[in-house]
C-alpha cells in the first residue's frame, strides 16, 4: 500500500483513539461529579429528615404535656392579681400524691395584661397554651423545665425513654428526597453497609449524650442507575459522536481502499493492454517491413498478408470488447423480444464444438423476454472462460436450468481449476483479473465477467459464483421469466 496512505490511516487511527479516550475520560469525570452531587444531596436530605423527626417528636411530647396539664383531676390551675407588680399570676398545682416540696409553680404571662382574680375558661386556655409553647421551646433547646416535680419527671421520662420511631424518619426522608426530585428506593439500616451499594453518612438517633449511640444510615440499591439516568444525554451525545467518528473513519478507509484498488486495476489493465497491443502490433510491423524490404513469391506474400490480417483482427476484437463494455455501462437498453432460452443455449454451445457439454434443461420451450445477442455473448463468455482457465485434459461444462414460478435458475459449472475464495467477490469488477504475477499465460482484459454481470442486470437477473463439486467453478444465474 502507498506509504502516504498508510501514514494517513495511522494518523486517523490515532485521532479516533484520541477521541475515544477523551470521551471516555470526560464520561468518567462526569460520572464522578454526578455521584458526588448525588451523595451531597442525599446526605443533606437525610440530616434534614432526622432533624424534622426530632422536632416532630418534640411536638408530640408537647401535645402529650398539654393533655397532662388539661387533666383537672391531676392538676389545678388558678390565678390571682399580685398587688405589688399589678399582674395576673397563674398557679399550677399537683392534686394527686406523692407530693414533694415542688408541687406547684406560679408565673405571670407577659402578653396577658388583664387583671384576673379568678380563673376563667379563656384565661385557663391561654395559660395552657403558654405552658405548652414554653415546653416546646425548651425541648428544642434540649432541656426540660420542672414546673412541678410530677410534670418534670413525666417529661424527662417521655423525652429520654420513648425512642424516635424510624417509620417517621423514613416518611420524612421520603418527603425530603421527593422535594429534591430523587424518587429512588432506599432502606434504613442501623449498621450494615452493603458493598457496592451507595450508603449515606450515619446519624445518631440516641436521645441522650453519653449513652450507647443508635446509628442510622440510608442505603440506595439503585443509585448507579439513577446517576447514569442523569448522564443519559451526555452519554448519548458521546455515543453519537463516537458513532459518527467511526462512520467517517470507516467511510474514509473505504474510499482510500477503493482508490488503491482502482489504481491497481488501472496498472494491471495498462500492463495487460500494453502486452496485448504490443504483440500483434510488433507482429504486423515485422511482417509489413519484411514485405516492404524483400522480394517474395506469391505464396509467401499471401502468408504474410494473412498474418497481418489475423493480427489486425485481434486488435479489432480487442477494441470492440472494450468499446462494448463501455457502451453496455452507458446504455442499459437492448433489443428485447420473446425468445426461447433453450435455443439460445444451443446456439451458444455451437461455437465450442470441441468441448463436452452436459445439459440438464427442460425439453419444452423456455420463453423469456431478452436481447438474444447479449444473452448468447454472455453464455459464450462463460464457456470461453471455462475453456481458457480450465487447465484440465477432459474439460466438461455442465448446464442445468430449472423454472421456479416466475424465476429461471441456471447453473453453469466446469471441472477446471476453480476460483480462490477471496477472489470470488472481485472477479465481476471491470478490468479485474486474478493476479498471476507477470505471467500472461491466458489472454484477457478482465472484462468478460463484468460484461456477463452487466447483461444479467440489464435483464433483471443476477449472478454469483461458488465452488463446483468435486472441483471447478459454478456460476449461479437467475433470470426473470
Ligand atoms: P478475462 O478477460 O481475464 O478472462 P474475466 O472477467 O472473464 O476476465 O474473468 C476474470 C477472472 O476470473 C479471470 O482472470 C480468471 O482468473 C477468473 N475466471 C473466470 N472464469 C473462470 C473459470 N471458469 N475458472 C477459473 N477462473 C475463472
Amino acid at each position: 500500500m502507498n506509504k502516504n496512505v498508510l501514514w494517513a490511516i495511522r494518523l486517523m487511527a490515532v485521532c479516533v483513539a484520541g477521541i475515544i479516550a477523551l470521551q471516555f475520560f470526560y464520561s468518567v469525570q462526569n460520572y464522578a461529579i454526578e455521584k458526588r452531587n448525588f451523595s451531597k444531596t442525599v446526605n443533606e436530605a437525610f440530616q434534614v429528615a432526622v432533624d424534622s423527626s426530632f422536632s416532630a417528636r418534640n411536638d408530640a411530647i408537647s401535645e402529650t404535656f398539654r393533655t397532662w396539664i388539661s387533666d383537672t383531676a391531676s392538676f389545678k390551675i388558678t390565678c390571682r392579681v399580685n398587688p405589688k407588680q399589678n399582674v395576673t399570676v397563674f398557679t399550677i398545682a399537683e392534686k394527686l400524691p406523692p407530693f414533694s416540696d415542688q408541687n406547684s409553680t406560679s408565673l405571670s404571662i407577659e402578653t396577658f395584661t388583664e387583671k384576673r382574680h379568678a380563673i376563667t375558661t379563656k384565661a385557663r386556655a391561654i395559660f395552657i397554651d403558654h405552658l405548652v409553647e414554653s415546653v416546646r421551646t425548651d425541648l428544642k433547646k434540649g432541656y426540660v423545665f420542672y414546673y412541678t416535680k410530677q410534670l418534670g419527671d413525666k417529661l424527662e421520662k417521655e423525652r429520654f425513654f420513648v425512642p424516635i420511631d424510624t417509620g417517621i424518619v423514613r416518611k420524612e426522608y421520603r418527603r425530603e428526597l421527593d422535594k429534591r426530585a430523587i424518587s429512588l428506593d432506599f432502606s434504613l439500616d442501623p449498621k450494615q453497609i452493603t458493598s457496592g451499594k451507595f450508603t449515606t453518612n450515619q446519624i445518631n438517633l440516641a436521645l441522650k449524650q453519653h449513652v450507647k449511640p443508635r446509628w442510622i444510615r440510608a442505603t440506595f440499591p439503585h443509585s448507579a442507575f439513577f446517576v447514569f439516568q442523569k448522564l443519559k444525554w451526555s452519554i448519548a451525545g458521546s455515543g453519537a459522536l463516537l458513532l459518527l467518528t467511526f462512520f467517517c473513519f470507516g467511510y474514509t478507509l473505504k474510499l482510500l481502499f477503493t482508490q488503491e484498488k482502482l489504481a491497481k486495476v488501472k496498472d494491471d489493465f495498462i500492463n495487460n493492454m500494453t502486452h496485448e497491443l504490443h504483440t500483434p502490433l510488433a507482429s504486423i510491423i515485422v511482417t509489413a517491413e519484411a514485405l516492404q524490404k524483400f522480394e517474395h513469391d506469391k505464396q509467401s506474400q499471401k502468408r504474410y498478408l494473412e498474418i497481418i490480417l489475423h493480427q489486425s483482427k485481434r486488435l479489432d476484437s480487442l477494441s470492440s470488447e472494450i468499446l462494448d463494455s463501455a457502451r453496455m455501462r452507458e446504455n442499459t437498453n437492448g433489443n428485447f423480444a420473446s425468445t426461447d432460452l433453450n435455443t439460445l443455449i444451443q446456439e451458444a454451445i455451437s461455437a465450442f464444438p470441441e468441448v463436452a457439454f452436459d445439459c440438464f434443461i427442460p425439453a419444452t420451450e423456455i420463453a423469456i423476454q431478452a436481447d438474444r445477442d447479449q444473452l448468447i455473448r454472455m453464455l459464450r463468455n462463460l464457456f470461453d472462460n471455462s475453456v481458457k482457465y480450465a487447465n484440465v485434459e477432459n474439460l466438461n461444462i455442465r448446464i442445468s436450468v430449472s423454472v421456479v414460478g416466475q424465476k429461471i435458475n441456471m447453473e453453469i459449472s466446469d471441472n477446471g481449476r476453480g476460483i480462490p475464495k477471496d477472489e470470488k467477490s472481485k472477479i465481476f469488477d471491470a478490468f479485474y483479473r486474478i493476479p498471476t504475477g507477470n505471467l500472461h499465460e491466458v489472454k484477457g482484459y478482465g472484462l468478460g465477467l463484468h460484461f456477463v454481470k452487466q447483461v444479467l442486470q440489464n435483464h433483471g437477473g443476477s449472478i454469483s459464483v461458488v465452488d463446483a463439486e468435486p472441483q471447478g467453478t459454478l456460476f449461479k444465474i437467475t433470470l426473470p421469466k
Side-chain angles (χ1 to χ4, degrees), residues 335-340 343-344 347 369-378 459:
N335 290 327
F336 282 78
S338 178
T339 12
D340 173 24
T343 324
L344 292 188
E347 216 171 311
Q369 279 292 321
D371 180 316
R372 261 181 67 81
D373 293 342
Q374 282 185 12
L375 275 199
I376 292 175
R377 270 188 64 191
M378 176 207 89
H459 284 76

Side-chain angles (χ1 to χ4, degrees), residues 107-124:
L107 53 106
S108 60
I109 302 170
E110 220 174 284
T111 49
F112 192 86
T113 47
E114 289 174 43
K115 312 284 175 293
R116 290 256 166 241
H117 294 280
I119 196 81
T120 62
T121 316
K122 193 180 157 208
R124 183 182 150 83

Side-chain angles (χ1 to χ4, degrees), residues 35 106 130 176 180 232 271 277 284 313 321 344 361 383 458 475:
K35 205 171 152 188
S106 296
H130 175 77
E176 290 303 323
R180 290 162 177 79
K232 67 178 176 231
N271 267 343
L277 287 173
I284 291 171
K313 276 187 181 163
E321 198 168 327
L344 292 188
I361 307 171
F383 302 155
N458 208 7
F475 288 101

Side-chain angles (χ1 to χ4, degrees), residues 385-386 388-389 414 417-419 427 432-434 443-450 473 475:
N385 274 352
S386 293
K388 282 199 300 187
Y389 301 107
D414 61 41
R417 64 162 87 142
I419 293 173
I427 53 171
Y432 188 80
R433 304 200 73 205
I434 296 177
K443 309 229 171 315
Y445 320 106
L447 288 171
L449 288 180
H450 183 63
T473 309
F475 288 101

Side-chain angles (χ1 to χ4, degrees), residues 22 53 58 61 65 169 182 238 245 249 298 304 312 318 370 395:
L22 275 179
S53 307
N58 286 345
I61 296 175
F65 179 80
V169 180
I182 297 174
S238 292
T245 314
F249 185 52
K298 277 257 176 231
Y304 282 137
S312 308
L318 167 64
L395 171 67

Side-chain angles (χ1 to χ4, degrees), residues 281-318:
L281 273 178
S283 168
I284 291 171
I285 292 168
V286 169
T287 321
E289 276 174 357
L291 270 175
Q292 199 181 39
K293 280 185 193 157
F294 309 107
E295 282 293 315
H296 294 285
D297 55 39
K298 277 257 176 231
Q299 188 80 22
S300 308
Q301 272 184 12
K302 196 177 164 217
R303 231 185 43 241
Y304 282 137
L305 284 172
E306 267 169 9
I307 294 173
I308 292 174
L309 195 66
H310 171 72
Q311 297 297 5
S312 308
K313 276 187 181 163
R314 232 179 104 182
L315 283 174
D316 183 50
S317 87
L318 167 64

